[in-house]
Amino acid sequence: MHAEVIAVGTEMLLGEITDTNSQVISEGLADLGINVYYHSLVGDNEARMTEVVKLAASRSDLVVISGGLGPTADDLTKQVVARYLKRDLVVDKAAMQKITAFFKKRKREMTPNNKIQAMYVQGALSLPNEVGLAVGNYYQDPNGADFLLLPGPPHEMQSMFEKTAKPLLAKQYQGQQVLNSRLLRFFGIGESNLVTKLADLIDEQANPTIAPYAKENEVTLRLTAAGHSDAEDARLLDELEEKITDRVGEYLYGYGENNSLPAVVVNKLRQRKLTLSASESLTGGSFQAAVTAIPGASEIFPGGFVTYAAEQKEKLLGIPADLIEKNGVVSRKTAIAMAENTRNLLQTDFTVSFTGAAGPDPLEGKPAGTVWIGLAGKNMVTQAKLYHFQYDRQRVRNSAVMTGFGMLNKALDK
Amino acid sequence: MHAEVIAVGTEMLLGEITDTNSQVISEGLADLGINVYYHSLVGDNEARMTEVVKLAASRSDLVVISGGLGPTADDLTKQVVARYLKRDLVVDKAAMQKITAFFKKRKREMTPNNKIQAMYVQGALSLPNEVGLAVGNYYQDPNGADFLLLPGPPHEMQSMFEKTAKPLLAKQYQGQQVLNSRLLRFFGIGESNLVTKLADLIDEQANPTIAPYAKENEVTLRLTAAGHSDAEDARLLDELEEKITDRVGEYLYGYGENNSLPAVVVNKLRQRKLTLSASESLTGGSFQAAVTAIPGASEIFPGGFVTYAAEQKEKLLGIPADLIEKNGVVSRKTAIAMAENTRNLLQTDFTVSFTGAAGPDPLEGKPAGTVWIGLAGKNMVTQAKLYHFQYDRQRVRNSAVMTGFGMLNKALDK
């Protein structure tokens, strides 16, 4: 059983908008254990749409199409699919009444085209549209691929897909298998290194499957188990996760789709009733912006400094001018003084400090990407570490910010 | 001449992420006057990738593929295309040196897989990757479709596409018509409002064309002229721009793809040798992070404060406790005191201050989204304005930051 997802709309081929429907549909199908092998996108062109529909029906068991159900002349999806299936289009009377009432209420003239929105392929189920006018279609073909036609506007598509289509598909295609996923998040290790360390596990993966994915400054692994029950899945996922953490557990910082290293760190601080402040030079406020992006940050973060100019490191933080003169702005001593002085001023449990060359130009002869990160805390010796980050100014700053969270996370785990 | 865009990556078929590359590529091809007839998306599966590549090459003149150039075992794009073209993969020595140096510098182990990132299809042009390791490929086939292979990570793809690939394609495929685009950027007006004000111009567009596009906190208009020379295009664009600015010129803040309101403001300050500081509460450092994201910000920005807790507004900025008690943290008086006191402490020409409720919870009974923004400057009366921003915490903070830049930009234009 595998499916194919088609989006219809010339505006997407022109790059005016991104097709987000195919992602939402694929995610929903994955939830149901239905494999998606292809996405296609085609414009509002009858010949090319017909070609894409034919190809999809020839190679897939289920074809899900979004878009092209509207009232304008270039909305052709139902017509193309009906012709391919050699079926007529018939009117859904309830939907037609809704359309008529819609135009009456707004005192707008109904065009003949609007009637198309209430039509469906003969033999298909007409799927109601709770937030728009065009009905969807679900056609089961005993001799070929099944078709699910959904509206193009994302909110209409999502509403119909979640409320009507997914339950229909679940009933129709879901077998005995129960699917469960677990997302593991890693910081401080690159994708290729992680994958190399887990090479045998990845090579022999079957159930659960392992899918690595690299984002900026982190790597995730999605483990997906297909067992006969949630309990069996949980056991399979636990076993595999243990094998993984035996090798790379030191880099695992958290779980789940809606998570991040800043969120994990802020929430650890909240749970332990610890506070944090910061003083930033090259990162210019980005670390503090990331801290305060997490709801509830006010419980742990009273504030901090952006000391971009050397003079302000002296004036606002009270760092002696000769310390900076002797060691340079980009130095261990400056990073340590920034962290300690800020911690004293704000009386927090921890302080992270950043000083370095964001680029594009070098600073004090140090190449762009050279960054010292300081960490002061109670019951610990203040530390400062030197990093060489790469690529452009924005990447250097982002890497510095995330590495600051990484240092603090390690200190909290000790 | 028509093209086809393919994205490669199982994670997109699973619905874990949205393919945004195909949209960006299509937009760029549209700029060059190249029609895109199909998008396809296929997983990291050799057989299905081969099938999709074959089909694309059979029906299109140019096949652009993003993704699958990385170092892991499931990155197969170059291998599949090379096999289809019956060509070997060869090593780009400069790229290989870069990869070796990258691993050496980080003291990380290089895996054999990483070598693949430096390889290209024999006979193709190897396209340098300025922000990553995997090279791109541009292969011109005299007997069939041309291939352009780009990396999957969006920032790598965009960098390579803009800097290297688009100029190559322009040279190769652009005919007698000379295309020139101009991007106009607007702040402070919504898309529907802008489009309504320009409705007749948009309806009658032919040459130049007008493409509006709404982003978070700004709207852009892309004007594209197709004349017989750059000079003719410039004249056509000038004429249309004048008609547009007659109506909505007050919202136009700048031009060009790689531009932003923060960049415009920072560069105006630099040109006039004026300085800026900030004190931020709900925005938590985001405004200062946006200032310092612009190269050269150190000329105009010495530093500032993140005074997240009320106590720090008193302690760091010297705002009297009873002012905050009487007026509340989210108040005109607090915003004004934050701006003025910060300006006095840092001796800058301008200071912007932010205080408000980012959400999700209300603050002092004021609903999430309530924000006061203050602006102090020499030769002007300190102002503070009240805004009600919408949606989630992140949107509220972003809108506040951009509105701060908007207020400063207006003051600079006076």
Side-chain angles (χ1 to χ4, degrees), chain B residues 365-378:
Chain B
K366 276 139 192 153
T370 310
V371 179
W372 279 96
I373 304 180
L375 173 63
K378 69 173 172 190

Side-chain angles (χ1 to χ4, degrees), chain B residues 281-342:
Chain B
S281 189
L282 84 150
T283 48
S286 313
F287 178 81
Q288 296 170 81
V291 169
T292 56
I294 312 300
S298 58
E299 291 171 29
I300 61 106
F301 179 77
F305 299 91
V306 180
T307 52
Y308 211 56
E311 191 199 338
Q312 299 305 333
K313 294 177 181 72
E314 298 161 16
K315 205 165 134 187
L316 301 182
L317 306 182
I319 299 178
D322 67 338
L323 183 151
I324 295 181
E325 238 163 73
K326 233 169 74 185
N327 299 283
V329 167
V330 185
S331 66
R332 175 191 296 274
K333 289 237 165 106
T334 300
I336 285 181
M338 285 173 71
E340 290 186 342
N341 293 17
T342 301

Side-chain angles (χ1 to χ4, degrees), chain B residues 79 83 89 91 129 209 225 245 270 294 336 343 367 371 383 386 390:
Chain B
Q79 294 89 321
R83 200 162 303 135
L89 286 174
V91 173
N129 187 334
T209 57
T245 49
R270 286 175 70 187
I294 312 300
I336 285 181
R343 186 165 169 260
V371 179
Q383 50 176 270
L386 174 63
Q390 290 227 20

Side-chain angles (χ1 to χ4, degrees), chain A residues 15 23 38-39 41 51 59 213 222 284 288-289 292 302-304 306 308-309 312 315 345-346 390 393 395 397, chain B residues 15-17 23 38-39 41 51 59 106 155 284 289 292 302-304 306 308-309 312 315 345-346 393 397:
Chain A
Q23 182 254 318
Y38 307 93
H39 286 186
L41 200 157
E51 182 208 321
R59 67 187 179 185
Y213 184 61
R222 178 182 294 276
Q288 296 172 81
T292 56
V306 181
Y308 211 56
Q312 298 307 331
K315 206 164 130 186
L345 284 164
L346 292 177
Q390 292 231 14
R393 184 177 175 90
R395 296 284 295 273
R397 284 158 45 105
Chain B
E16 288 170 7
I17 54 168
Q23 181 254 318
Y38 307 93
H39 285 186
L41 198 158
E51 182 208 321
R59 66 186 178 185
R106 292 179 183 215
H155 69 286
T292 56
V306 180
Y308 211 56
Q312 299 305 333
K315 205 165 134 187
L345 284 164
L346 292 178
R393 184 179 176 90
R397 284 159 45 106

